[in-house]
Amino acid sequence: MTSLAALKSKLLTDPAVKAEYDRLGPIFSVVSEMVEARQTAGLTQAEIARRMGTTQSVVGRLESGRHMPSFDMVSRYAAALDRRIDIHLVPRHSADVALAGSPI
């Protein structure tokens, strides 16, 4: 049986797959944080929906990771959890990290 990590490594050798994986990474990161925060709070999708003034199906779609949620929806979701959004722009590549702190 192939492990998930081995399968991922193999698939990411294909440039088209790697490009799509990189494109979707931020979406999965945001969605993962949202779901983790909801679960940590011990709330269901229906409870979050009520707090947001929407339906459970909207929350389900937000948490599916199929589309990048709007900033407004992520903000409403965070507020429903009594949380705030904290965004950071970071260098894309590790070489950029070394250069970011270096004087020119």
Side-chain angles (χ1 to χ4, degrees):
M1 179 180 217
T2 303
S3 73
L4 182 57
L7 179 59
K8 178 181 170 184
S9 292
K10 181 179 178 183
L11 290 172
L12 290 178
T13 60
D14 179 334
V17 172
K18 173 86 168 87
E20 187 67 2
Y21 179 83
D22 290 344
R23 185 186 74 79
L24 294 173
I27 296 170
F28 292 135
S29 180
V30 168
V31 168
S32 176
E33 290 244 359
M34 291 167 65
V35 172
E36 184 178 324
R38 177 179 59 77
Q39 291 174 341
T40 298
L43 298 172
T44 65
Q45 288 182 345
E47 291 167 324
I48 290 292
R50 255 190 311 284
R51 291 178 179 197
M52 290 176 67
T54 191
T55 64
Q56 180 276 324
S57 62
V58 168
V59 173
R61 282 193 298 274
L62 282 172
E63 292 184 356
S64 75
R66 290 191 186 117
H67 304 285
M68 176 59 95
S70 71
F71 188 82
D72 179 62
M73 289 303 282
V74 175
S75 183
R76 289 174 56 200
Y77 191 102
L81 288 164
D82 195 29
R83 293 194 177 211
R84 63 182 178 82
I85 297 171
D86 185 16
I87 297 174
H88 301 277
L89 299 178
V90 296
R92 187 181 296 241
H93 304 288
S94 59
D96 295 339
V97 172
L99 296 175
S102 301
I104 297 178

